[in-house]
Amino acid sequence: MTSEFVSSACPHDCPSTCALEVERLDDHTIGRVRGAADNDYTLGVICDKVARYRERFHHPERLSHPLKRVGPKGSGRFEPVSWDQALSEVAEAFKAAAEEFGPQAVWPYHYAGTMGLVQRDGIHRLRHAMGYSGLDETICVTLARMGWNAGVGALWGTDAKDMAQSDLIVIWGTNPVSTQVNVMTHVTKARKERGAKVVCVDPYRTGTAKSADIHLAVRPGTDGALACGVLHVLFAEGFADRDYMARLTDCPDRLEDHLKTRTPAWAAEITGVPEADIVAFARLYGQHKRSFIRVGYGFSRSRNGAANVHAVTCLPAVTGAWQHPGGGALYVQADLFGIDQTIIKGLDVVDAKIRRLDMSRIGAVLTGDNEALKGGPPIKAMLIQNQNPAMVAPESVKVLAGLKREDLFVCVHEQFMTETAELADIVLPATMFLEHDDMYKGGGHPYLQVTRKVIEPFADCRSNHDVLCALAERLGAKHPGFSMTAWELMDQSLTASGLPGAEEAHRMRWVDCSKADDEMNFLNGFGHADGRFHFAPDWAALGPNFEAMPALPDHMNNIESASPEHPFRLVTAPARRFLNSTFTETQTSRTKEGRPTAFIHPADCLDLGLSDGDRVRIGNRRADVVVHAKAFDGLQVGVVVIEGIWPNKAFVEGLGINALTGADPAPPGGGAAFHDTAVWLRAEAT
């Protein structure tokens, strides 16, 4: 056949959800992957990871056939089996666990290996139909969503394309050069067309920070204090829009009084950012009404993450930036779409009495912690899709111990032999996004994209949906969604939501779900019942552990602080060429990233006797790991950054960085604090 470019969408857990054009060479082979030039968000630009997707798609180590473990867990000894045998063994193991301990002894576990609504979320339909344990999806967005909703009340904001009309762009707690490249496309447009200034707030000098006009290198977990110091100046120096606040916020006078003690000097002491820099940033922000804040995930991944995000969202509410072209803020556009996923998730058969287990606490769950198990039965069987907890989950020493239990049956449906798959009893080969149908909501933009498969599945791979339906048949699960194709599920979900059906949406390539400009910018009121932005949030409505949350924007001092025993603060930031554990299997990504490396301030290196390339042991009460050191002056003394979720086996001693991160749930409603870790460092002899 003649090669052609076919429309698709990137399935990965990045707010860009890029519109793609994929070169189909034949029914089994792809060539080039490029951004859709006529999509006004993607604008033809995609990250280098996805641009070379052919390397991942046609990787020689891709899983091709079902496998059964024949040696001890972790031995890597598997033998090929048929799909019928593999699925039958999974079903029998689930039945045995349910018969002995009850259905809640089975725990389907997943997350965002694909963002497609059918292939990602269908696992819930099996969970609900069978009465298996629920999953509290806390590992990524919980804290940021709570912090945004605390003030704004709805998960949408200024259209990212409006950055072209901005005079000041603040990139707070995200590194879009690495993690959402399209943001930088629109930043560049604003710079060229309006001479916009760019400020980056991040604990270290990222690629984004290097490109910014101003970089504010805060100490990890102190973003709320920085925001309060800025708010103090906005009120004190006349930058607050009092008419706007009187119309559209809840308690501006109370906020102003509260902020009188949150001075730039106070904020400087907490954040480590010089007082003069805080004042200068506040004045810059106050002087530019067309100010856009791109709110990232990074500064939410702290024990005070929800409070941090709320404090930052208060800035445009004080200046009234929302009412000006190119002004306001954006976290995600998730609430724009309104897709009814009842048939996909099986929401019509949910039993509210069944426990929901915290996915971030998988280590505690699998090692028998009664609190983590909610007082219920132990987990005896799992199906894992779209997730690699052996690498990604916090407290990985516990996670690995739990997955190695010989009395735990684990089925992993995967594209590669990940470190989680290596500990499974049955491994099933999974399709990639170009080999199945699905639909995707935008994160950083308002477009819904419905995609058809581009090529046939590799070897003996099957989609998540097909595997779930086959298991449902063997388990006797009753739900109409199990007898429908992925396309039929999409079509029914879309039409039930008042959206174009699957065929029409696919023909359109992307469906614009945005609201009118005045609604996108909350000019007629915010998402709360009273229509006002809340400086004083109702934290009790957002989570059960609300009592310690600050009544007004503040620095919430519940972080894992540096101490004489653990004098350093560790940030485990994303790497440019990995996406969580995805792309760690491709040689190009591994070569360009090099190896796990600790970025340490030169003054700290001197104190520790470290030179570039030396081994350094980093540890705390949870574990210790060995990496190589690199002197780096783009962070504060006492801060350490290690980029990327590398496989455990990539580390000197075979134990990865998430062995150090904690899994205790952050208030008010849970969430993993990946960037909130206190550690010690010492030089390690080679």
Side-chain angles (χ1 to χ4, degrees):
M1 63 184 291
T2 304
S3 69
E4 59 180 335
F5 279 92
V6 182
S7 293
S8 191
C10 181
H12 290 292
D13 190 10
C14 160
S16 290
T17 323
C18 292
L20 302 180
E21 294 174 353
V22 180
E23 186 180 24
R24 177 168 56 198
L25 301 179
D26 58 45
D27 287 343
H28 298 277
T29 314
I30 66 167
R32 292 167 291 171
V33 179
R34 65 193 186 194
D38 54 340
N39 180 284
D40 59 6
Y41 180 76
T42 301
L43 289 174
V45 178
I46 57 173
C47 67
D48 64 351
K49 298 184 291 289
V50 174
R52 49 183 169 77
Y53 216 89
R54 176 173 179 158
E55 179 184 10
R56 187 169 192 272
F57 217 92
H58 299 301
H59 197 293
E61 295 177 10
R62 193 173 164 189
L63 292 172
S64 58
H65 302 284
L67 301 171
K68 177 181 178 178
R69 178 172 65 91
V70 293
K73 285 198 174 184
S75 66
R77 292 170 55 194
F78 292 88
E79 65 179 14
V81 294
S82 68
W83 267 103
D84 183 65
Q85 181 182 341
L87 291 169
S88 295
E89 291 199 17
V90 175
E92 289 305 314
F94 284 17
K95 289 177 182 178
E99 287 171 3
E100 184 174 359
F101 297 96
Q104 293 185 59
V106 180
W107 193 24
Y109 190 93
H110 87 130
Y111 198 60
T114 176
M115 296 297 285
L117 301 188
V118 173
Q119 306 296 345
R120 182 189 69 191
D121 294 333
I123 195 170
H124 290 302
R125 186 169 66 253
L126 182 69
R127 179 195 319 282
H128 299 323
M130 295 300 297
Y132 295 151
S133 281
L135 186 79
D136 197 1
E137 299 178 16
T138 60
I139 204 162
C140 183
V141 301
T142 301
L143 287 160
R145 287 188 173 215
M146 288 185 295
W148 179 271
N149 276 329
V152 177
L155 288 171
W156 69 75
T158 305
D159 194 316
K161 299 188 296 293
D162 288 353
M163 277 191 278
Q165 304 177 65
S166 303
D167 293 323
L168 175 67
I169 299 170
V170 183
I171 300 174
W172 202 311
T174 183
N175 180 18
V177 163
S178 295
T179 60
Q180 42 181 312
V181 66
N182 301 90
V183 168
M184 300 310 295
T185 302
H186 296 282
V187 167
T188 300
K189 190 174 182 182
R191 279 176 148 169
K192 287 181 177 179
E193 295 181 1
R194 298 191 61 83
K197 298 295 184 183
V198 179
V199 177
C200 179
V201 182
D202 200 287
Y204 77 116
R205 192 171 61 238
T206 63
T208 303
K210 290 177 186 176
S211 72
D213 298 289
I214 298 170
H215 173 214
L216 301 175
V218 294
R219 292 185 182 121
T222 65
D223 302 80
L226 176 60
C228 287
V230 172
L231 289 166
H232 174 99
V233 175
L234 296 177
F235 276 103
E237 298 193 6
F239 297 116
D241 188 330
R242 297 182 185 279
D243 290 339
Y244 176 86
M245 287 190 291
R247 287 186 292 110
L248 287 172
T249 69
D250 60 345
C251 57
D253 293 341
R254 183 180 163 199
L255 174 65
E256 183 176 13
D257 185 64
H258 163 74
L259 290 168
K260 287 178 180 177
T261 59
R262 273 63 176 177
T263 64
W266 167 87
E269 182 69 23
I270 296 170
T271 64
V273 176
E275 178 182 357
D277 291 353
I278 296 174
V279 173
F281 170 44
R283 289 172 177 165
L284 184 68
Y285 185 79
Q287 290 163 1
H288 291 94
K289 298 302 183 184
R290 293 186 175 206
S291 57
F292 183 105
I293 302 179
R294 187 61 176 96
V295 175
Y297 296 88
F299 71 111
S300 76
R301 290 177 180 144
S302 180
R303 286 165 180 79
N304 59 4
N308 288 340
V309 173
H310 172 252
V312 171
T313 64
C314 292
L315 294 171
V318 168
T319 65
W322 288 104
Q323 61 194 326
H324 301 284
L330 174 64
Y331 160 53
V332 290
Q333 305 287 25
D335 283 354
L336 292 180
F337 300 91
I339 298 174
D340 184 343
Q341 287 190 255
T342 299
I343 191 73
I344 293 174
K345 291 185 174 182
L347 299 178
D348 50 342
V349 291
V350 172
D351 183 348
K353 298 188 297 295
I354 291 177
R355 66 181 177 179
R356 289 166 55 90
L357 303 179
D358 186 341
M359 70 176 302
S360 298
R361 302 194 68 199
I362 180 175
V365 168
L366 296 186
T367 53
D369 183 289
N370 189 60
E371 180 186 5
L373 288 165
K374 305 286 184 72
I379 297 303
K380 290 290 185 175
M382 298 181 72
L383 168 64
I384 300 177
Q385 289 183 326
N386 312 321
Q387 180 59 285
N388 183 12
M391 283 173 58
V392 170
E395 294 188 356
S396 56
V397 172
K398 288 183 180 179
V399 177
L400 293 168
L403 289 171
K404 289 176 181 177
R405 283 172 36 207
E406 287 292 342
D407 67 330
L408 172 68
F409 177 89
V410 178
C411 171
V412 173
H413 187 202
E414 254 295 355
Q415 297 163 350
F416 291 90
M417 185 59 77
T418 64
E419 293 189 340
T420 303
E422 289 175 350
L423 297 172
D425 298 277
I426 295 289
V427 179
L428 305 176
T431 51
M432 292 188 184
F433 75 105
L434 297 176
E435 298 167 327
H436 55 240
D437 302 333
D438 216 336
M439 60 181 174
Y440 306 89
K441 298 189 299 184
H445 61 73
Y447 297 127
L448 168 73
Q449 298 176 78
V450 173
T451 64
R452 284 195 181 277
K453 72 177 182 179
V454 173
I455 60 175
E456 294 302 315
F458 169 67
D460 216 4
C461 296
R462 295 189 186 181
S463 72
N464 290 356
H465 174 67
D466 289 343
V467 167
L468 293 166
C469 292
L471 283 175
E473 181 179 6
R474 287 166 172 79
L475 291 165
K478 304 298 182 185
H479 192 276
F482 292 124
S483 60
M484 299 169 68
T485 65
W487 196 260
E488 290 168 340
L489 285 174
M490 287 190 286
D491 190 59
Q492 181 167 322
S493 298
L494 292 171
T495 55
S497 309
L499 292 164
E503 287 290 350
E504 183 181 357
H506 176 64
R507 178 183 56 78
M508 295 169 68
R509 295 174 65 199
W510 41 84
V511 180
D512 189 349
C513 296
S514 60
K515 300 175 181 292
D517 288 348
D518 58 349
E519 290 184 83
M520 294 291 286
N521 283 45
F522 305 104
L523 300 187
N524 302 319
F526 286 87
H528 298 291
D530 61 5
R532 293 177 178 269
F533 181 92
H534 287 184
F535 295 128
D538 179 10
W539 291 112
L542 294 166
N545 301 317
F546 60 88
E547 293 182 353
M549 299 301 296
L552 291 160
D554 213 339
H555 170 60
M556 186 178 180
N557 192 22
N558 66 329
I559 59 176
E560 197 166 283
S561 301
S563 66
E565 184 182 1
H566 298 100
F568 293 89
R569 296 267 292 146
L570 172 67
V571 173
T572 54
R576 182 168 188 169
R577 297 163 188 89
F578 299 156
L579 203 166
N580 296 321
S581 68
T582 306
F583 297 101
T584 59
E585 67 281 330
T586 60
Q587 186 60 50
T588 301
S589 289
R590 291 198 304 266
T591 299
K592 289 186 175 182
E593 290 299 331
R595 61 189 179 188
T597 300
F599 295 99
I600 306 168
H601 195 278
D604 290 325
C605 286
L606 184 63
D607 288 345
L608 294 165
L610 291 170
S611 299
D612 282 1
D614 286 353
R615 291 184 178 186
V616 57
R617 186 173 293 275
I618 303 178
N620 56 18
R621 58 184 172 78
R622 301 180 188 99
D624 53 87
V625 303
V626 177
V627 296
H628 293 83
K630 182 176 179 61
F632 180 64
D633 64 1
L635 38 64
Q636 293 194 37
V637 170
V639 176
V640 182
V641 172
I642 298 178
E643 291 184 331
I645 304 179
W646 289 83
N648 290 286
K649 63 184 68 173
F651 286 76
V652 173
E653 295 181 338
L655 185 62
I657 197 61
N658 277 321
L660 306 181
T661 58
D664 47 307
F674 286 105
H675 305 329
D676 182 5
T677 305
V679 295
W680 49 257
L681 272 65
R682 68 167 182 255
E684 181 76 3
T686 56

mmCIF file of all heavy atoms in Angstrom, residues 315-329:
data_model
loop_
_atom_site.group_PDB
_atom_site.id
_atom_site.type_symbol
_atom_site.label_atom_id
_atom_site.label_comp_id
_atom_site.label_asym_id
_atom_site.label_seq_id
_atom_site.Cartn_x
_atom_site.Cartn_y
_atom_site.Cartn_z
ATOM 1 N N LEU A 315 -4.080 34.925 43.171
ATOM 2 C CA LEU A 315 -3.435 36.075 42.543
ATOM 3 C C LEU A 315 -4.316 36.747 41.493
ATOM 4 O O LEU A 315 -4.555 37.966 41.560
ATOM 5 C CB LEU A 315 -2.088 35.666 41.956
ATOM 6 C CG LEU A 315 -1.010 35.245 42.965
ATOM 7 C CD1 LEU A 315 0.193 34.661 42.243
ATOM 8 C CD2 LEU A 315 -0.581 36.437 43.802
ATOM 9 N N PRO A 316 -4.820 36.023 40.473
ATOM 10 C CA PRO A 316 -5.658 36.715 39.478
ATOM 11 C C PRO A 316 -7.000 37.162 40.036
ATOM 12 O O PRO A 316 -7.630 38.066 39.463
ATOM 13 C CB PRO A 316 -5.823 35.667 38.367
ATOM 14 C CG PRO A 316 -5.588 34.355 39.037
ATOM 15 C CD PRO A 316 -4.579 34.621 40.105
ATOM 16 N N ALA A 317 -7.443 36.565 41.135
ATOM 17 C CA ALA A 317 -8.685 37.016 41.758
ATOM 18 C C ALA A 317 -8.497 38.359 42.458
ATOM 19 O O ALA A 317 -9.436 39.144 42.571
ATOM 20 C CB ALA A 317 -9.192 35.965 42.750
ATOM 21 N N VAL A 318 -7.292 38.638 42.929
ATOM 22 C CA VAL A 318 -7.014 39.916 43.593
ATOM 23 C C VAL A 318 -6.801 41.030 42.569
ATOM 24 O O VAL A 318 -7.301 42.146 42.729
ATOM 25 C CB VAL A 318 -5.806 39.785 44.536
ATOM 26 C CG1 VAL A 318 -5.312 41.156 45.002
ATOM 27 C CG2 VAL A 318 -6.177 38.927 45.746
ATOM 28 N N THR A 319 -6.079 40.755 41.504
ATOM 29 C CA THR A 319 -5.825 41.795 40.495
ATOM 30 C C THR A 319 -6.958 41.928 39.490
ATOM 31 O O THR A 319 -6.995 42.896 38.716
ATOM 32 C CB THR A 319 -4.537 41.504 39.717
ATOM 33 O OG1 THR A 319 -4.695 40.295 38.960
ATOM 34 C CG2 THR A 319 -3.344 41.385 40.655
ATOM 35 N N GLY A 320 -7.868 40.946 39.465
ATOM 36 C CA GLY A 320 -8.921 40.956 38.453
ATOM 37 C C GLY A 320 -8.416 40.593 37.077
ATOM 38 O O GLY A 320 -9.048 40.921 36.066
ATOM 39 N N ALA A 321 -7.287 39.876 37.012
ATOM 40 C CA ALA A 321 -6.698 39.530 35.718
ATOM 41 C C ALA A 321 -7.651 38.720 34.851
ATOM 42 O O ALA A 321 -7.559 38.760 33.612
ATOM 43 C CB ALA A 321 -5.396 38.751 35.932
ATOM 44 N N TRP A 322 -8.572 38.006 35.476
ATOM 45 C CA TRP A 322 -9.522 37.188 34.725
ATOM 46 C C TRP A 322 -10.318 38.007 33.697
ATOM 47 O O TRP A 322 -10.758 37.469 32.679
ATOM 48 C CB TRP A 322 -10.503 36.519 35.677
ATOM 49 C CG TRP A 322 -9.949 35.414 36.513
ATOM 50 C CD1 TRP A 322 -9.627 35.454 37.835
ATOM 51 C CD2 TRP A 322 -9.678 34.067 36.092
ATOM 52 N NE1 TRP A 322 -9.168 34.227 38.268
ATOM 53 C CE2 TRP A 322 -9.196 33.352 37.222
ATOM 54 C CE3 TRP A 322 -9.797 33.395 34.875
ATOM 55 C CZ2 TRP A 322 -8.825 32.011 37.170
ATOM 56 C CZ3 TRP A 322 -9.441 32.047 34.818
ATOM 57 C CH2 TRP A 322 -8.955 31.375 35.948
ATOM 58 N N GLN A 323 -10.527 39.278 33.959
ATOM 59 C CA GLN A 323 -11.415 40.078 33.101
ATOM 60 C C GLN A 323 -10.686 40.733 31.930
ATOM 61 O O GLN A 323 -11.313 41.441 31.133
ATOM 62 C CB GLN A 323 -12.101 41.158 33.939
ATOM 63 C CG GLN A 323 -11.166 42.154 34.591
ATOM 64 C CD GLN A 323 -11.822 42.998 35.654
ATOM 65 O OE1 GLN A 323 -12.994 43.343 35.544
ATOM 66 N NE2 GLN A 323 -11.076 43.326 36.694
ATOM 67 N N HIS A 324 -9.394 40.482 31.784
ATOM 68 C CA HIS A 324 -8.613 41.115 30.724
ATOM 69 C C HIS A 324 -8.178 40.083 29.691
ATOM 70 O O HIS A 324 -7.881 38.927 30.032
ATOM 71 C CB HIS A 324 -7.384 41.801 31.316
ATOM 72 C CG HIS A 324 -7.724 42.855 32.329
ATOM 73 N ND1 HIS A 324 -8.195 44.100 31.975
ATOM 74 C CD2 HIS A 324 -7.682 42.836 33.688
ATOM 75 C CE1 HIS A 324 -8.422 44.803 33.059
ATOM 76 N NE2 HIS A 324 -8.117 44.071 34.122
ATOM 77 N N PRO A 325 -8.122 40.452 28.398
ATOM 78 C CA PRO A 325 -7.659 39.508 27.366
ATOM 79 C C PRO A 325 -6.273 38.956 27.715
ATOM 80 O O PRO A 325 -5.372 39.712 28.097
ATOM 81 C CB PRO A 325 -7.606 40.370 26.099
ATOM 82 C CG PRO A 325 -8.563 41.486 26.357
ATOM 83 C CD PRO A 325 -8.471 41.766 27.832
ATOM 84 N N GLY A 326 -6.122 37.639 27.599
ATOM 85 C CA GLY A 326 -4.844 37.014 27.926
ATOM 86 C C GLY A 326 -4.573 36.936 29.404
ATOM 87 O O GLY A 326 -3.464 36.581 29.815
ATOM 88 N N GLY A 327 -5.569 37.248 30.230
ATOM 89 C CA GLY A 327 -5.384 37.215 31.676
ATOM 90 C C GLY A 327 -6.113 36.056 32.316
ATOM 91 O O GLY A 327 -7.004 35.438 31.727
ATOM 92 N N GLY A 328 -5.744 35.743 33.555
ATOM 93 C CA GLY A 328 -6.379 34.662 34.297
ATOM 94 C C GLY A 328 -5.404 33.563 34.635
ATOM 95 O O GLY A 328 -4.224 33.818 34.919
ATOM 96 N N ALA A 329 -5.874 32.325 34.591
ATOM 97 C CA ALA A 329 -5.035 31.180 34.958
ATOM 98 C C ALA A 329 -5.628 29.918 34.360
ATOM 99 O O ALA A 329 -6.812 29.876 33.978
ATOM 100 C CB ALA A 329 -4.931 31.052 36.477
#
